[in-house]
Amino acid sequence: MKLSGKRALITGASQGFGLAVAHAFAREGASVMLCARQASALATAAESIKRVSVAGARILHRTVNISQTAQVDALVEATLSELGGLDILIANAGVYGPKGAIESVNWEDWVQAIEINLMGTVYCCRAVVPAFKRQKYGKIVILSGGGATKPMPYLSAYAASKAAIVRFGETLAGELREYNIDVNTIAPGALNTRLLDEVLEAGPEKVGRAMYAAALEQQRTGGTPLEIGANLCTFLGSPASDGISGRLISALWDPWDRFPELAPQLEKSDIYTLRRIVPKDRNLDWGEPQ
């Protein structure tokens, strides 16, 4: 099994993509600590995961709001104690935040989205780093999304936080490389989860006609299967991905299953990273400043 004997912490694991990752990890032999904000949904999720877990693996859960640092500290401490250590962090918890023009959305809601998506994710990473450094090994997988690589009008908190997360992931990867700790962000695709439901419920007046139309089409076609992104997380949590770090990887479009053989080329390039586009990248010569 790809994750036999591994111990993972998965945030936002009570539903949607986080739950799919937890199922994939359990089937591959990992012991898992699940966390989310809703206690009843989390307990139900834990029971469903236990049914697919392998003999000897432990499936634990704890109600946590990742924007609260004391709760995150307690979560990591409990994980290390009850699982006997930690090898993998899947930083999945996140929200869309308020929907609408920046001057009209509730400011407190906008700030709260940044606190959850950016600061909460960063703090989860910060909290596991000392343990990873001590063992000179670890895997951190951070959930990005479409907001990291393209503008998302009327979802500004989400877009800003996801772009920030990718740069943080690249930066953290550089800090931790000497400790054999890999840090990557992933884009799992257009998922039919509660976030899609929120967009449809908000309507075109708040999210814009283009995004609303795209959401309707995604609902009609079924979106990207959750298992594709979950399989990428399994790969990035496994020894097969050792040394692959500092990348933003699309579960749907990138040949990540070939990364082990492509690793020498990948290491020497800035492929799958966020970078500024200049005229020569588009075969244009605009000259130097006058």
Side-chain angles (χ1 to χ4, degrees):
M1 292 186 177
K2 296 175 184 177
L3 299 177
S4 180
K6 299 297 184 183
R7 299 151 300 185
L9 168 59
I10 305 175
T11 70
S14 64
Q15 60 183 319
F17 186 69
L19 180 58
V21 173
H23 273 278
F25 274 37
R27 285 192 295 267
E28 291 293 343
S31 291
V32 180
M33 172 67 85
L34 315 168
C35 86
R37 290 185 292 176
Q38 300 297 325
S40 59
L42 187 59
T44 300
E47 289 304 313
S48 73
I49 295 163
K50 287 177 182 177
R51 289 193 288 270
V52 302
S53 63
V54 303
R58 301 191 67 194
I59 308 300
L60 308 175
H61 64 280
R62 191 179 181 100
T63 306
V64 172
N65 181 341
I66 64 164
S67 68
Q68 302 299 311
T69 55
Q71 292 186 33
V72 173
D73 287 338
L75 168 68
V76 173
E77 182 178 348
T79 302
L80 293 171
S81 174
E82 296 179 39
L83 294 184
L86 183 63
D87 306 292
I88 306 162
L89 168 66
I90 306 295
N92 167 72
V95 297
Y96 258 154
K99 303 160 190 70
I102 186 60
E103 74 276 13
S104 63
V105 296
N106 181 281
W107 181 244
E108 286 73 24
D109 291 345
W110 201 97
V111 171
Q112 183 182 56
I114 297 295
E115 289 175 343
I116 294 171
N117 293 353
L118 175 58
M119 298 174 69
T121 297
V122 170
Y123 198 79
C124 287
C125 295
R126 184 181 191 269
V128 304
V129 161
F132 284 2
K133 280 187 171 181
R134 285 194 297 270
Q135 66 196 20
K136 290 184 166 49
Y137 188 81
K139 302 283 191 175
I140 297 175
V141 181
I142 301 171
L143 264 291
S144 174
T149 55
K150 65 180 181 181
M152 294 189 72
Y154 310 112
L155 286 167
S156 56
Y158 177 79
S161 64
K162 292 303 182 179
I165 279 297
V166 175
R167 179 60 77 235
F168 170 73
E170 288 191 37
T171 301
L172 187 62
E175 290 184 17
L176 300 180
R177 196 175 303 277
E178 65 180 290
Y179 297 94
N180 298 313
I181 301 169
D182 298 325
V183 184
N184 293 285
T185 53
I186 72 163
L191 307 178
N192 284 16
T193 63
R194 63 177 173 80
L195 296 184
L196 177 66
D197 295 339
E198 288 182 19
V199 169
L200 293 172
E201 183 179 347
E205 295 78 15
K206 287 191 174 180
V207 300
R209 295 188 180 281
M211 184 164 191
Y212 185 74
L216 285 174
E217 178 64 11
Q218 180 183 325
Q219 182 187 52
R220 185 186 69 80
T221 59
T224 303
L226 298 174
E227 292 74 18
I228 294 178
N231 289 339
L232 172 56
C233 287
T234 299
F235 167 72
L236 291 175
S238 75
S241 67
D242 285 356
I244 296 169
S245 193
R247 309 293 162 168
L248 168 57
I249 304 165
S250 167
L252 189 59
W253 304 114
D254 297 337
W256 49 265
D257 56 338
R258 295 184 55 215
F259 280 6
E261 67 181 270
L262 298 172
Q265 298 175 64
L266 191 59
E267 186 176 1
K268 297 175 183 178
S269 75
D270 60 1
I271 294 171
Y272 308 130
T273 61
L274 289 187
R275 295 295 181 266
R276 177 172 173 261
I277 299 171
V278 298
K280 68 179 181 179
D281 294 329
R282 298 294 181 260
N283 298 315
L284 295 171
D285 180 7
W286 290 358
E288 300 297 329
Q290 299 297 316

